[in-house]
Amino acid sequence: MKDTPIIEMRGIQKQFGRIQANADVDFTLRRGEIHAIVGENGAGKSTLMKILYGLYRPDAGEIFVDGRAVAISSPRRAMRLGLGMVQQHFTLIPIFTALQNIILAKEPRQFGVLIDAQQAEEKITALATQLGFDVPLNTPVESLPIGTQQHTEILKVLYHGADILIMDEPTAVLAPQEIEGLFNCMHSLKNEGKSLIIITHKLDEVMAIADTVTVMRRGQSVATSLIADTNPTALAEMMLGEPLIPTAVTRERIENPTPMLRLENVTLSADSDTGMGFARFINRRSRKAHAPDSRELGKHHLDEIDLEVFPGEIVGIAGVEGNGQTELVEVLTGLRRIHSGSLTLNGERIAHIPADRHRHGISLNDRIDDNFIIGHHKNRRYCNRGMLRRKSIQRAALNALDKYHIQVGDIVDRIKVLSGGNQQKIVVARELEGRPELIVAAHPTRGLDIHAARFVHSRLIHARNRARAVLLVSAELDELLQLSDRIAVMYDGKIVGIVKPSETNKQELGALMLGLN
Ligand SMILES: Nc1ncnc2c1ncn2[C@@H]1O[C@H](COP(=O)(O)OP(=O)(O)OP(=O)(O)O)[C@@H](O)[C@H]1O
Ligand SMILES: [Mg+2]
C-alpha cells in the first residue's frame, strides 16, 4: 500500500538508571518526506533515533518498517532494512581516509574479505558528484574540515544503501553556507524518493526544510504537525510546555580604563605549527607574549590583529568560518604560538568554551563530576597534597548541575552517556563558574535548546556585569548582535571592522564578513 508509513514506532520506552529517556513515544515517518524532530535538551530525541537505528534496544514498544513488525537488534540489521544514521557526534575513524571510512562496513564480514577499492571509489565519486560534494577521498578524515567530514558520513550511509536517512543535529557544526548545501542535498535525496529525519534546535531550519515536525517533551512525543500548519512560536511553546517569556537581562555600565586583553599586531602565518602560546604563562599577572617578526612567511591565518577587550565588555567576533576566528581562539588559549606582535593579558584566569567540545572541552570516558575539575585540578578545594577531595568535587559538581538545570542520572556516570546539550551545558557551567577574568567563548550555545541558550546568554551578560571580559565567537549574527558591546568582523585573517550592535545591522555585518567594504 502506498500510504503505509515507511517507519512507525509505537509506545517506545527506554530507561537509563533513574532517567526515563523515552516514555511511551509514538513516531511515524511517511515515505519521501523530510521529518524534523525538535525538543529540549534531554527530551529523548537521540535516544529514539538510536533505538530506530538499532544502537539501543527499547524496554517496550514496537517498530514497523513498511508495515512489517521488526526487531532492530543492531545497526547492521538497521542497514539491511534500509536505515542509515549520521550521528550527533561523528563516528569516523580519524586516521583513515575518507574512502576507507566510507567503505568500512560497521560489521566487516558483511562485505566479505576482498573489497574492490577502485570500483568502490568510482561509485562513491559518482555519488558525491550527484550530491555536489567535494570530498578528497584519499585524505585522512582528521585533516578534513567539519563540513567535509559530514559529507563523508552522508556518503558512507548512502553507499551502504540507505533509503531512510536519520541525521542528528547535522547543522549544529556547520557554517551558514554549509547548511544551505546540506539542505540542497536533503532536497535532492527527497526527490529521489528517500525519506529523511532531521533533529535540530533551530526552528527556522525546521520551517525551511521539513514537511512534517514532531515535538518531543520529557521523553514523550507531544505533537506532530505539518509545517504548513505551524510556526516557530507554537513549536517553542509545545517544546517547553509553556509560553516562551522573554528574559530581560539589564546591562550595567562598567567603566574600566585598562584592557583585560590586548592584541597588538598579532600575526600567525599559515605554515605555522601548533605549539604553546599564551596560556602557559598562566600564573603570572600581566603577562606578555612576544614573538619575532616573521612577516615574510607567506599567507597569514592572522594578519596584524589589533584588538582590546575591556573588563565589563563582551566583544563579539563575526566572520565566515575559516577567516581566522579559530586561530584567534587557539592563540588566546595557548594552542598556537604567534609569529609576531604581542599579546597582553592583565589577569590570571582564562575560561575557554571550545568550539569542539569532544576534542577540547570534556574527557568523554571520565565521570561527570571529574569533568567539572578539568583545568581546576590544582585548586586546593579539589586537590590537597596530590589527593583528590571527592566530597568537595561532588558538591561543586552538584551545585553547578543544579544551577544550570542539567539533568543527569548519576554524577559518577561517564560524561559520554549524557545528551549532547547536557554535555555542552557542563562545559559552560565549569568554565563560567571558575571565576575567570577573561572568558573566551566559541559557539557557546551550539546544540542547546532555546531555553538553555537563553540561560547561557544571561550568564555571559552576568559575567560581563561583574567586570569580566568576554570574547564571543559565534556563527549566529542574532546572538552576536544581542550580546556584544562591540563586534569585530574578521575576513581573511584580518579585523576588517569593529562596530557597535546599535549602529549596525545584519546586512552591514554580512557585507563586512564577505570582505565587501
Ligand atoms: N546511555 C545513556 N546512559 C544514561 N543516560 C542516558 C544515556 N543516553 C541518554 N541518556 C539520558 O537520557 C536523556 C535523553 O537523552 P537524549 O540523548 O535522547 O536527549 P536529546 O533529546 O537528544 O537531547 P540533546 O538535545 O541535548 O541532544 C538525557 O537525560 C540523557 O542524559
Ligand atoms: Mg541529542
Side-chain angles (χ1 to χ4, degrees):
M1 272 211 329
K2 202 120 206 284
D3 275 358
T4 313
I6 185 95
I7 296 289
E8 203 176 347
M9 301 176 84
R10 280 193 212 147
I12 301 292
Q13 294 183 25
K14 181 72 187 176
Q15 185 151 3
F16 296 108
R18 288 187 314 226
I19 294 193
Q20 188 78 46
N22 281 175
D24 200 17
V25 183
D26 296 328
F27 175 76
T28 302
L29 177 72
R30 304 211 162 266
R31 199 183 300 277
E33 75 173 350
I34 299 179
H35 195 130
I37 301 180
V38 299
E40 285 188 288
N41 295 127
K45 306 175 297 292
S46 296
T47 301
L48 186 71
M49 289 303 109
K50 284 179 185 170
I51 288 172
L52 181 57
Y53 190 57
L55 287 161
Y56 293 151
R57 298 298 298 271
D59 300 332
E62 294 170 296
I63 303 177
F64 301 86
V65 175
D66 214 4
R68 213 157 40 91
V70 290
I72 306 182
S73 49
S74 66
R76 181 179 170 190
R77 177 90 184 102
M79 285 198 273
R80 289 241 187 90
L81 291 165
L83 285 149
M85 180 161 179
V86 175
Q87 292 201 49
Q88 190 162 358
H89 303 111
F90 298 163
T91 55
L92 300 171
I93 299 171
I95 55 165
F96 281 18
T97 65
L99 183 65
Q100 286 166 332
N101 266 290
I102 293 167
I103 296 176
L104 186 83
K106 294 200 176 82
E107 306 279 334
R109 273 159 305 166
Q110 195 186 351
F111 289 87
V113 192
L114 289 171
I115 296 168
D116 185 341
Q118 198 186 334
Q119 205 184 345
E121 187 166 351
E122 279 164 21
K123 194 173 156 194
I124 292 162
T125 307
L127 200 57
T129 314
Q130 188 190 337
L131 293 172
F133 292 171
D134 183 15
V135 178
L137 289 175
N138 294 306
T139 307
V141 293
E142 65 187 351
S143 48
L144 296 176
I146 199 102
T148 314
Q149 289 187 23
Q150 185 176 71
H151 292 164
T152 310
E153 285 269 4
I154 294 173
L155 287 171
K156 175 170 148 188
V157 162
L158 295 173
Y159 178 73
H160 289 286
D163 265 328
I164 304 156
L165 219 72
I166 307 165
M167 289 188 275
D168 195 349
E169 294 191 37
T171 60
V173 294
L174 300 182
Q177 68 278 24
E178 291 173 317
I179 294 175
E180 212 179 296
L182 175 71
F183 285 0
N184 289 337
C185 157
M186 289 174 70
H187 273 302
S188 60
L189 291 171
K190 175 185 155 165
N191 290 339
E192 276 173 38
K194 304 218 186 267
S195 315
L196 296 98
I197 301 172
I198 176 175
I199 298 177
T200 174
H201 288 291
K202 300 180 196 161
L203 299 178
D204 51 340
E205 290 180 356
V206 173
M207 299 308 291
I209 186 77
D211 302 302
T212 313
V213 54
T214 289
V215 181
M216 290 189 70
R217 185 168 76 232
R218 308 230 172 111
Q220 289 183 309
S221 43
V222 293
T224 294
S225 165
L226 291 175
I227 288 301
D229 297 340
T230 190
N231 60 65
T233 314
L235 289 173
E237 291 192 12
M238 282 191 274
M239 278 166 55
L240 302 174
E242 59 192 50
L244 189 64
I245 303 157
T247 41
V249 190
T250 41
R251 277 168 184 279
E252 282 154 33
R253 232 187 124 80
I254 313 265
E255 296 290 348
N256 202 315
T258 321
M260 176 59 68
L261 174 71
R262 172 181 279 158
L263 286 83
E264 287 164 294
N265 258 315
V266 166
T267 296
L268 178 74
S269 75
D271 32 11
S272 72
D273 223 352
T274 54
M276 296 298 287
F278 192 35
R280 69 189 298 190
F281 307 106
I282 208 134
N283 298 325
R284 249 177 282 144
R285 182 158 273 277
S286 190
R287 53 217 158 83
K288 222 169 165 136
H290 279 285
D293 199 300
S294 61
R295 240 160 290 179
E296 64 277 9
L297 282 170
K299 188 176 156 49
H300 297 314
H301 278 317
L302 295 177
D303 201 350
E304 305 199 339
I305 300 280
D306 285 319
L307 185 68
E308 289 176 327
V309 187
F310 288 85
E313 183 184 43
I314 299 179
V315 173
I317 302 287
V320 176
E321 186 88 21
N323 279 279
Q325 306 92 311
T326 311
E327 288 78 9
L328 179 63
V329 170
E330 285 176 350
V331 158
L332 294 177
T333 54
L335 289 166
R336 272 186 201 246
R337 207 197 323 253
I338 59 174
H339 286 108
S340 61
S342 75
L343 283 168
T344 314
L345 178 70
N346 192 25
E348 288 174 13
R349 291 182 299 274
I350 307 181
H352 178 209
I353 300 170
D356 183 346
R357 62 173 168 254
H358 274 187
R359 255 159 122 186
H360 301 129
I362 56 179
S363 172
L364 278 173
N365 286 316
D366 281 315
R367 293 157 46 151
I368 294 168
D369 53 354
D370 289 350
N371 266 278
F372 272 101
I373 60 161
I374 292 176
H376 304 290
H377 55 283
K378 287 193 183 145
N379 187 327
R380 280 273 190 76
R381 252 171 86 199
Y382 305 134
C383 184
N384 196 12
R385 298 192 192 144
M387 294 286 285
L388 287 179
R389 305 177 68 172
R390 283 264 160 236
K391 283 237 171 71
S392 176
I393 294 169
Q394 297 212 343
R395 211 176 314 125
L398 286 171
N399 270 338
L401 290 173
D402 190 49
K403 188 165 177 183
Y404 284 75
H405 320 286
I406 306 168
Q407 197 193 15
V408 305
D410 195 325
I411 55 168
V412 303
D413 285 345
R414 290 199 277 181
I415 198 168
K416 71 173 174 194
V417 308
L418 292 182
S419 82
N422 284 337
Q423 292 175 10
Q424 175 72 2
K425 286 200 237 175
I426 286 182
V427 174
V428 175
R430 179 188 70 212
E431 295 301 313
L432 296 189
E433 294 306 303
R435 295 192 297 121
E437 291 160 298
L438 171 68
I439 298 164
V440 178
H443 312 286
T445 59
R446 227 177 218 177
L448 295 190
D449 66 50
I450 306 174
H451 234 167
R454 287 194 175 184
F455 181 69
V456 169
H457 287 169
S458 72
R459 295 309 302 169
L460 287 171
I461 294 179
H462 180 75
R464 167 205 175 278
N465 287 347
R466 297 181 62 193
R468 315 287 186 236
V470 182
L471 190 82
L472 169 71
V473 179
S474 175
E476 316 241 354
L477 293 184
D478 287 322
E479 182 168 78
L480 288 171
L481 286 164
Q482 201 187 326
L483 294 184
S484 311
D485 295 284
R486 294 184 295 143
I487 300 175
V489 184
M490 292 191 74
Y491 175 72
D492 198 18
K494 297 185 194 58
I495 288 180
V496 292
I498 296 184
V499 290
K500 287 196 168 150
S502 57
E503 294 163 8
T504 188
N505 54 43
K506 283 195 195 178
Q507 283 68 30
E508 188 191 30
L509 285 175
L512 284 169
M513 284 165 63
L514 294 172
L516 297 178
N517 252 19

